Amino acid sequence: SEAWSEPVAIVEGLAVYARGEGEPLLLVPYPHAHTICPMIDGELARLLASAGRRVISFDAPGAYRSTRPAVGDLAEMLACAEEALAALLGPAEARGPVDAAGH
């Protein structure tokens, strides 16, 4: 089995990842359907990175390398997405439009 990627940052227990170069694209994890490895290690992340995008993703709370406890609601996932973007893009760029992909 292939080893999981290492997070680029850990933000208060939230594991944040990046893959590729180019315009940023947020790949939102869907833990109910992606149970083999972190989203950043899946085929969709590889495909998006090979298309010239800098794929940014995170492990949902309680999953893989994220150690913060999970709440399990949409508000939590949106907050995590904002945290991941702010950690890798900076707060000002993260407030602007960023393409996203997910379920």
Side-chain angles (χ1 to χ4, degrees), residues 80-97:
C80 289
E82 290 177 353
E83 289 178 73
L85 290 172
L88 297 190
L89 300 179
E93 189 178 356
R95 275 188 253 157

Side-chain angles (χ1 to χ4, degrees), residues 2-102:
E2 191 175 316
W4 292 343
S5 294
E6 289 296 321
V8 174
I10 304 276
V11 180
E12 296 180 17
L14 182 72
V16 180
Y17 302 88
R19 176 186 295 274
E21 301 293 328
E23 287 292 313
L25 182 143
L26 176 67
L27 180 56
V28 181
Y30 39 96
H32 65 283
H34 204 270
T35 58
I36 297 170
C37 63
M39 286 292 294
I40 203 69
D41 292 325
E43 289 302 315
L44 182 55
R46 288 186 181 98
L47 176 68
L48 292 167
S50 73
R53 300 304 296 262
R54 180 177 184 216
V55 180
I56 297 170
S57 191
F58 59 92
D59 290 337
Y64 308 112
R65 291 201 164 108
S66 283
T67 58
R68 70 170 64 166
V71 174
D73 63 11
L74 182 57
E76 175 184 51
M77 291 300 283
L78 292 172
C80 289
E82 290 177 353
E83 289 178 73
L85 290 172
L88 297 190
L89 300 179
E93 189 178 356
R95 275 188 253 157
V98 175
D99 291 339

